[in-house]
Amino acid sequence: MKLTRRALLGSAVVLGSGLSAGGASGDVVSPKDFGARGDGITNDTDAFAACAAYINARGGGTVVIPPGTYIVGRQVKAGALGKGAAYRPAPILQFRNCSRPVTISGKGATLRFAKGLRMGAFHPVTGAARLTRLPFVDYDYRADPGIMIDASGCASLIVEHVELDGNLAEHVIGGKWSVDEGWQCYAHGIHTVSNDRVTIRAVHAHHFAVDAMMQVDHRLSPNAASRPVTLMDCTFEYNARQGLSWVGGNALSATGCKFNHTGRARNIGLDRVLSSPPGAGVDLEAEESIVRNGQFIDCEFVNNVGAGVLAASGPVQDVGFSGCRFVGTTAWSAWPDKPGFRFDDCTFLGAVVNPYGDGDASRATQFHQCRFDDDPAGSPTGQVYGGVNLDRPLVDMSNRENVLFDLCTFRATRGSALPWSTRAIYKDCTMQQGTGVTGYPRGRYIGRNSIIGKVDINGSTIGGTLQLNGRFQN
């Protein structure tokens, strides 16, 4: 089997021991029934694990977490080789194969990873960081901080009104553990695998050493029934690898969510930011499965160390974005290199690269009523990424075929150039370029189009009207 970053995330996390139910009543339970303090000092891992075991034993139920700051996360040192881990994480809220709905309601509570959790490669006996050349994927040397909320094979999962703090600043970071680059371990806020339905509402998941959320659905066929995953009003920010890793599933929607500042948080021990590739706001990377039928509405993808949205690997297709905002400060604002991607009424600040081209126009990337700009006033850092080409095209697509821009506006007035294309379709578009470099928005023009600036459109086909610097072109 081909090794990939996420194929290596296979270390098991054993279910909690199942403590006494204490004050639990029926299908509604609180970690405080099992001794949780929520005082920001006491480690409440055992109480949360017992709470989850209680729900698992009943096939579902509701966990209500009262206000407070709950410290969670604990690791067991292997002490010998051959144990499959150097430091194994204890389970926290882990649910398996619940036939009835599982609900976690935070009521404004915060779960925070404990100080000093180890991540990366360490010697299982001495505890010393294992520094080696990559690839390095020996599980005997791996340390995972763990997963706060982990649900697999359940009928329904709801997580709402809770803050999940990964506390990556205070992790002890060992050697890199990965096929290619970075620390590809388990350090997630939410991990959902092959559940029938998932709803994540009003969750703030931040400063995780890997992902705020990872959604997995194994071995789905292209005609598999949908298993809806719904995110509403969530903020996933300052995580080291991704805000959201969607690596398998059919039907995911996100409304009013923020996937910002990936790879921008510092670790105290490293004395620098902690980041692992691809460093995206959202990464759509199908592995041993499919990723399809996604919808992002009124979402943000801002100031990530990698692309705001990245779709470049595996069978990914049919994902839509409506009313979304993309800001690339040091990397691409979007990289949508898969069929069936559509953007409606979206704003792009910073370069877009590799929209998908296809001889079948219905499969090529489509942009409808979108705006492309390079004005640093719209960037939270004042930076705007222009890409790797010296002329800094707003959209870099080279010879990608049938990429459609319908009623779109392009303003390259602060150092960038108009799109680089040869076979794109421009319909009723307005373009303005204020720099002295040459733009190359070549392709097929239909409807009414207008361009102001220094451009080369040789080889283009004009099917409607094109006004170039005040003159109509034939």
Side-chain angles (χ1 to χ4, degrees):
M1 181 179 71
K2 179 183 177 182
L3 285 175
T4 61
R5 286 189 298 271
R6 294 187 183 84
L8 295 165
L9 299 181
S11 57
V13 183
V14 181
L15 185 64
S17 58
L19 304 178
S20 168
S25 176
D27 291 337
V28 180
V29 65
S30 165
K32 290 202 168 184
D33 296 330
F34 301 88
R37 300 291 296 275
D39 57 9
I41 300 172
T42 306
N43 192 308
D44 291 324
T45 299
D46 288 343
F48 275 84
C51 184
Y54 179 90
I55 295 296
N56 274 286
R58 285 151 182 78
T62 298
V63 178
V64 176
I65 310 175
T69 297
Y70 299 82
I71 303 301
V72 295
R74 190 179 64 250
Q75 294 170 313
V76 178
K77 183 180 177 181
L81 289 167
K83 298 295 185 68
Y87 289 83
R88 187 180 300 278
I92 303 170
L93 285 172
Q94 185 184 82
F95 306 95
R96 293 291 181 268
N97 302 315
C98 291
S99 59
R100 299 187 297 115
V102 174
T103 298
I104 302 168
S105 185
K107 305 300 181 184
T110 296
L111 276 65
R112 178 177 298 147
F113 266 147
K115 298 178 182 179
L117 296 178
R118 299 189 180 216
M119 188 181 79
F122 293 87
H123 196 283
V125 178
T126 68
R130 177 68 182 266
L131 305 178
T132 186
R133 292 181 178 180
L134 296 178
F136 184 75
V137 292
D138 189 332
Y139 280 87
D140 278 349
Y141 292 85
R142 174 169 150 168
D144 297 304
I147 300 167
M148 285 189 180
I149 300 172
D150 186 11
S152 177
C154 296
S156 171
L157 173 70
I158 298 173
V159 183
E160 60 183 5
H161 305 296
V162 65
E163 179 181 349
L164 307 177
D165 180 355
N167 195 19
L168 69 78
E170 298 186 289
H171 286 346
V172 177
I173 306 299
K176 293 180 179 180
W177 196 97
S178 178
V179 174
D180 46 13
E181 187 56 55
W183 296 266
Q184 308 291 346
C185 301
Y186 272 135
H188 302 337
I190 301 171
H191 187 235
T192 53
V193 183
S194 301
N195 303 286
D196 290 341
R197 183 178 296 273
V198 173
T199 301
I200 313 296
R201 180 168 46 236
V203 170
H204 183 196
H206 59 95
H207 290 89
F208 282 90
V210 184
D211 298 340
M213 178 175 175
M214 185 175 183
Q215 158 59 28
V216 185
D217 225 326
H218 294 300
R219 294 179 291 277
L220 289 182
S221 65
N223 59 353
S226 65
R227 286 175 168 166
V229 176
T230 304
L231 283 63
M232 295 179 288
D233 301 320
C234 294
T235 299
F236 296 165
E237 60 184 1
Y238 292 103
N239 303 288
R241 187 179 71 175
Q242 254 86 251
L244 169 65
S245 289
W246 184 13
V247 301
N250 182 5
L252 181 148
S253 67
T255 303
C257 296
K258 298 179 180 180
F259 307 95
N260 300 340
H261 311 301
T262 297
R264 303 298 189 188
R266 296 181 67 84
N267 173 266
I268 294 171
L270 292 177
D271 193 26
R272 61 178 175 83
V273 296
L274 180 67
S275 178
S276 292
V282 172
D283 182 26
L284 299 89
E285 183 176 351
E287 294 187 353
E288 302 178 28
S289 190
I290 61 169
V291 166
R292 63 174 51 190
N293 297 322
Q295 187 67 46
F296 294 82
I297 302 170
D298 296 332
C299 293
E300 286 186 1
F301 311 85
V302 176
N303 187 38
N304 298 290
V305 74
V309 167
L310 176 63
S313 179
V316 178
Q317 69 179 68
D318 300 333
V319 180
F321 300 82
S322 179
C324 294
R325 179 170 173 253
F326 300 81
V327 180
T329 54
T330 59
W332 309 103
S333 59
W335 183 317
D337 194 12
K338 290 295 173 181
F341 273 57
R342 175 173 171 139
F343 299 84
D344 289 272
D345 191 28
C346 294
T347 299
F348 298 87
L349 180 62
V352 177
V353 71
N354 293 335
Y356 185 80
D358 199 290
D360 180 352
S362 67
R363 288 168 52 85
T365 304
Q366 297 183 15
F367 299 91
H368 298 267
Q369 294 182 291
C370 293
R371 297 158 297 282
F372 302 83
D373 207 332
D374 65 348
D375 187 349
S379 166
T381 66
Q383 296 174 285
V384 176
Y385 185 66
V388 297
N389 290 330
L390 293 178
D391 54 1
R392 295 167 52 92
L394 292 176
V395 186
D396 194 342
M397 67 195 97
S398 187
N399 64 347
R400 303 291 177 109
E401 186 177 5
N402 287 324
V403 177
L404 173 64
F405 299 91
D406 174 27
L407 283 168
C408 293
T409 301
F410 302 85
R411 295 182 70 254
T413 59
R414 302 298 182 94
S416 296
L418 293 174
W420 176 286
S421 63
T422 60
R423 295 190 289 174
I425 301 172
Y426 299 99
K427 178 183 177 184
D428 299 322
C429 292
T430 301
M431 306 185 192
Q432 181 181 356
Q433 179 176 303
T435 61
V437 299
T438 301
Y440 295 90
R442 295 165 292 181
R444 182 157 61 98
Y445 287 85
I446 57 178
R448 298 169 61 89
N449 295 275
S450 173
I451 302 175
I452 297 175
K454 183 181 179 182
V455 296
D456 180 347
I457 59 170
N458 287 330
S460 296
T461 301
I462 302 171
T465 61
L466 172 59
Q467 190 174 27
L468 175 58
N469 295 320
R471 297 184 177 183
F472 286 99
Q473 307 298 299
N474 294 324

